[in-house]
Amino acid sequence: MLIYLLGLTAVFIGFEFVFFLQWTNAYLGGYDLMAHHLPVPLVVLPQLIYFVLLQLAVPLLFTLLIFAMARLIGLALKLSFKNIEKLGFLLWILGILTVLLANQYYFANSKFNNIVSTLLPFKWGKILLVIISFVLFLAGLISWWGLFKFSRKLFFLLPLIPILYIIFPLSHSYESPKNPTQPNIILIGIDSLRPDFLNYFGNDEKLLFIDDFLNHAAVFSDAMTPLARTYPSWASLLTGLYPKHSGIRTDLQDHATTDLSQTLPAILQKKGYQTIFATDETRFSNIDEPFGFNHIISPPSGLNDFLIGSLNDFPFTNLLINTKLGRYLFPYSYGNRGVYTEYDPDAFLNLVESSLATTDQKPIFLAIHFCLPHYPYFWQKHPEHEQHPYLDYQAALHRADQQVGDFMKFLAQHKILDNAVVVLLSDHGETFGFSGDRITAADCAKDKGLPCFYPASRDSETVDQVAGHGTDVLALPQYHLVLAFRFYKAGKNYRGSIPGLVSLLDVKPTLLSLLKIKAPLEDGHSLLKAIQTGRMDNTDTDFMLETDFTPWGLRTVHPEYKNILAESLDYFEINPVTTKITVKPSMLKLI
């Protein structure tokens, strides 16, 4: 029976891989294209081999479990070998159905749902999943009785495994510093958070945590970023410098030759702060320890993040990815926003909370960046609505709001907020092709000869429309962002909106001014007085915006992956030691 069951499992694995190849033709074609442009270092092979072996090992363990259940049920019910074989085949079929239906239920965007949903609509699939799960539960109880007959020692020892799994801590428990001499500084970034989608700024829909936070904070209503991409925005925030002055002007730029000795975390590190950076997406940002952070909490970065993360969509392993065990078995997928099919917002919170540990008395500087509202705007349980991307974006905002709220509850429970300054911000805004997102009227374009954002062939997309972020300086919603300061027992802050042009460049001098630390030369200005009084003494009338590299494939509301990849590959290189992907120095000049 075991040989037969292994044969059936081998056929199923073969089906999985054939189906996967069929549905990921665009991805694999892109990988082939990438391999011809970028030399892939051999150092990535061990992880790839490990990934393949894991895809084989999990179904194998499933088969052994089915075999053991059939034999134990046969022992409990005193079945003949022939009936035990029939039972084994039945349990295998029920087990495979359970895996496929559970994958359909928990992973709304899994490629395998195309088959399951065609044969069985989601509504009926849920009902069948409950029925089959109940049958397998009863089978498990009977097999447990069979185990008692087989070996009483195993009967009493095996339950210890799930008990230890539940109660065993994955890291040291968090111990908050007692009476730190300086306040904790918490920067909370939310990717692509566009202000006019918030109730505070006039939108009908309310986000429970974010809107409440803004109602208790000093909110700068005219805050901007100099470059509307994640990495340059965060670099500008941490350095207090325009991208041209810091030298970081594009995503995935190598900062090896950049002077990072005077960044905000580097200064606070020297002043006795424990500095931490956390993010759930590293594919387009190179924020790491050289910026002045003692600790980085994120999925592993580098080429394998792109390769393994994008490959990992198989029913068996999907069900393990977001578990405690999955954190160690699938480090490139656990809590990784880039792997949107399997991304569970709670998994990233678990990663952060279990990694935050301190036993000293240092105050904390914690910068955390939540990327859920970034394109594509769907995740593990939220299916895509291709015709209305802004609806998916709104859903992502609501889920990110819950995620950030849960994170703040964690900080409160561990008394990190007892003496803290919290800065809520977005790295940039977002555009969806709305009419008016681009400040170019049709008659203005005609009279002045201003270029359209979209290629001329896209007849339905007009001169005042634009999509994405960091693509067009005439698209101000890409550059307009949320910036709010709230003091928790670290002083009093004004509650309400403060008009006047400010930017991410102002965050560093503001916090250093609060801590009475002399700031180095920078482009930003302290906003501390405005935060305390609600009034801006003076504001700059000029602020410089710049775009990042934008391939033509991005100039549409519905970008195509392979077109963008083909245009972009010549701009990048892979570090053969770290496997990090960075922009070539020669191409940086062209950008």
Side-chain angles (χ1 to χ4, degrees):
M1 180 179 67
L2 179 60
I3 294 173
Y4 290 150
L5 292 179
L6 289 172
L8 285 172
T9 302
V11 170
F12 182 78
I13 292 173
F15 156 76
E16 276 190 313
F17 277 93
V18 169
F19 181 78
F20 176 82
L21 292 174
Q22 179 70 25
W23 278 95
T24 56
N25 184 49
Y27 171 79
L28 294 174
Y31 176 78
D32 182 62
L33 183 65
M34 183 177 70
H36 282 83
H37 284 73
L38 295 172
V40 178
L42 294 178
V43 71
V44 305
L45 286 180
Q47 280 291 336
L48 286 172
I49 293 171
Y50 165 80
F51 168 75
V52 173
L53 291 178
L54 205 56
Q55 297 299 331
L56 299 174
V58 175
L60 174 62
L61 290 174
F62 161 81
T63 307
L64 294 176
L65 177 64
I66 292 295
F67 172 75
M69 285 181 64
R71 291 300 305 271
L72 291 173
I73 291 173
L75 182 62
L77 302 181
K78 298 180 180 181
L79 300 178
S80 65
F81 280 111
K82 188 173 182 180
N83 287 331
I84 291 175
E85 281 189 349
K86 292 179 180 178
L87 177 64
F89 295 142
L90 177 62
L91 290 175
W92 186 90
I93 292 170
L94 293 177
I96 290 293
L97 283 173
T98 301
V99 169
L100 290 173
L101 292 172
N103 185 68
Q104 179 194 40
Y105 178 76
Y106 287 108
F107 300 92
N109 301 292
S110 174
K111 291 177 287 292
F112 288 85
N113 292 347
N114 291 289
I115 286 183
V116 179
S117 299
T118 301
L119 299 175
L120 197 65
F122 181 71
K123 178 182 177 181
W124 296 108
K126 284 199 299 183
I127 296 173
L128 184 59
L129 176 62
V130 172
I131 295 172
I132 296 178
S133 298
F134 180 71
V135 172
L136 289 176
F137 174 74
L138 292 178
L141 291 179
I142 298 172
S143 63
W144 198 249
W145 176 244
L147 179 64
F148 180 79
K149 287 188 173 182
F150 177 73
S151 171
R152 295 192 179 187
K153 287 183 178 180
L154 284 176
F155 178 83
F156 289 107
L157 286 176
L158 282 180
L160 293 177
I161 297 176
I163 292 173
L164 289 174
Y165 174 80
I166 294 171
I167 67 174
F168 184 72
L170 291 176
S171 71
H172 302 291
S173 59
Y174 190 86
E175 185 177 333
S176 179
K178 296 176 182 177
N179 303 317
T181 56
Q182 296 281 34
N184 296 322
I185 306 294
I186 315 294
L187 304 186
I188 300 178
I190 304 175
D191 207 299
S192 308
L193 177 58
R194 178 168 161 164
D196 59 351
F197 272 72
L198 300 176
N199 180 261
Y200 184 89
F201 290 96
N203 190 45
D204 291 336
E205 290 195 42
K206 185 175 182 179
L207 300 183
L208 294 178
F209 172 78
I210 294 174
D211 281 311
D212 180 71
F213 181 94
L214 296 178
N215 284 323
H216 292 84
V219 182
F220 292 92
S221 55
D222 300 314
M224 304 288 284
T225 179
L227 202 164
R229 292 279 170 86
T230 300
Y231 183 43
S233 281
W234 269 95
S236 296
L237 185 156
L238 297 176
T239 63
L241 298 172
Y242 275 112
K244 186 172 183 178
H245 294 161
S246 71
I248 298 175
R249 305 180 72 179
T250 186
D251 279 341
L252 289 181
Q253 184 176 332
D254 187 0
H255 56 62
T257 60
T258 304
D259 181 11
L260 299 174
S261 62
Q262 296 298 313
T263 64
L264 176 60
I267 293 172
L268 294 182
Q269 192 180 57
K270 294 172 185 175
K271 294 294 182 179
Y273 272 78
Q274 181 182 192
T275 56
I276 304 165
F277 182 76
T279 183
D280 52 0
E281 219 280 359
T282 61
R283 293 188 180 185
F284 301 101
S285 180
N286 283 335
I287 302 290
D288 52 15
E289 287 88 349
F291 274 84
F293 291 106
N294 298 114
H295 190 32
I296 300 292
I297 304 171
S298 72
S301 60
L303 183 60
N304 273 332
D305 178 22
F306 286 86
L307 297 180
I308 296 176
S310 301
L311 281 169
N312 200 5
D313 178 17
F314 293 93
F316 274 106
T317 51
N318 278 355
L319 299 177
L320 290 175
I321 280 174
N322 294 314
T323 64
K324 289 182 182 179
L325 185 62
R327 174 181 171 184
Y328 296 97
L329 293 179
F330 308 97
Y332 289 96
S333 299
Y334 184 86
N336 188 346
R337 176 68 181 102
V339 188
Y340 59 83
T341 302
E342 289 88 28
Y343 178 71
D344 178 6
D346 290 333
F348 175 58
L349 284 182
N350 293 334
L351 183 66
V352 172
E353 292 174 6
S354 62
S355 300
L356 278 177
T358 181
T359 56
D360 53 33
Q361 300 303 305
K362 291 182 178 180
I364 300 165
F365 172 77
L366 170 61
I368 185 169
H369 189 54
F370 295 91
C371 293
L372 186 57
H374 191 283
Y375 179 88
Y377 315 112
F378 43 92
W379 62 99
Q380 175 199 3
K381 286 190 175 181
H382 180 75
E384 178 186 13
H385 296 92
E386 293 183 358
Q387 295 180 350
H388 304 289
Y390 69 91
L391 296 178
D392 291 319
Y393 173 76
Q394 285 180 317
L397 285 184
H398 280 278
R399 187 61 184 89
D401 177 71
Q402 179 187 339
Q403 191 182 25
V404 175
D406 290 341
F407 174 67
M408 288 292 285
K409 288 178 184 176
F410 168 81
L411 296 182
Q413 289 169 359
H414 292 277
K415 303 185 183 303
I416 301 173
L417 295 181
D418 283 1
N419 180 29
V421 176
V422 179
V423 185
L424 182 69
L425 59 95
S426 46
D427 53 346
H428 50 74
E430 187 78 324
T431 49
F432 304 95
F434 292 155
S435 180
D437 269 356
R438 191 173 193 254
I439 53 170
T440 312
D443 56 347
C444 181
K446 182 178 179 182
D447 297 338
K448 304 296 184 182
L450 294 176
C452 293
F453 174 77
Y454 296 107
S457 61
R458 297 187 178 273
D459 300 336
S460 62
E461 296 171 327
T462 61
V463 70
D464 66 344
Q465 289 180 285
V466 69
H469 51 264
T471 56
D472 187 354
V473 291
L474 297 180
L476 293 185
Q478 296 183 5
Y479 293 82
H480 190 200
L481 51 82
V482 173
L483 181 61
F485 292 76
R486 183 175 175 183
F487 294 170
Y488 290 78
K489 297 183 182 178
K492 292 184 179 180
N493 63 266
Y494 171 78
R495 294 186 180 185
S497 294
I498 304 173
L501 183 60
V502 301
S503 75
L504 291 180
L505 308 178
D506 302 324
V507 173
K508 176 187 171 185
T510 300
L511 294 174
L512 292 182
S513 177
L514 172 70
L515 300 175
K516 299 179 181 178
I517 298 173
K518 186 177 179 181
L521 186 64
E522 52 205 3
D523 296 319
H525 307 280
S526 174
L527 305 174
L528 182 59
K529 187 174 181 181
I531 293 169
Q532 294 171 335
T533 64
R535 296 188 304 273
M536 294 278 289
D537 288 341
N538 51 54
T539 60
D540 293 332
T541 55
D542 298 316
F543 185 70
M544 300 300 170
L545 306 181
E546 60 179 287
T547 62
D548 196 359
F549 165 55
T550 305
W552 281 100
L554 264 181
R555 299 184 181 225
T556 173
V557 181
H558 302 289
E560 294 185 17
Y561 164 80
K562 197 168 183 179
N563 292 342
I564 298 170
L565 184 66
E567 292 179 66
S568 308
L569 278 175
D570 286 331
Y571 284 74
F572 300 98
E573 62 186 5
I574 302 172
N575 186 305
V577 178
T578 65
T579 76
K580 283 193 173 183
I581 299 174
T582 55
V583 176
K584 293 178 181 177
S586 59
M587 292 302 176
L588 185 60
K589 294 179 181 179
L590 294 179
I591 292 174

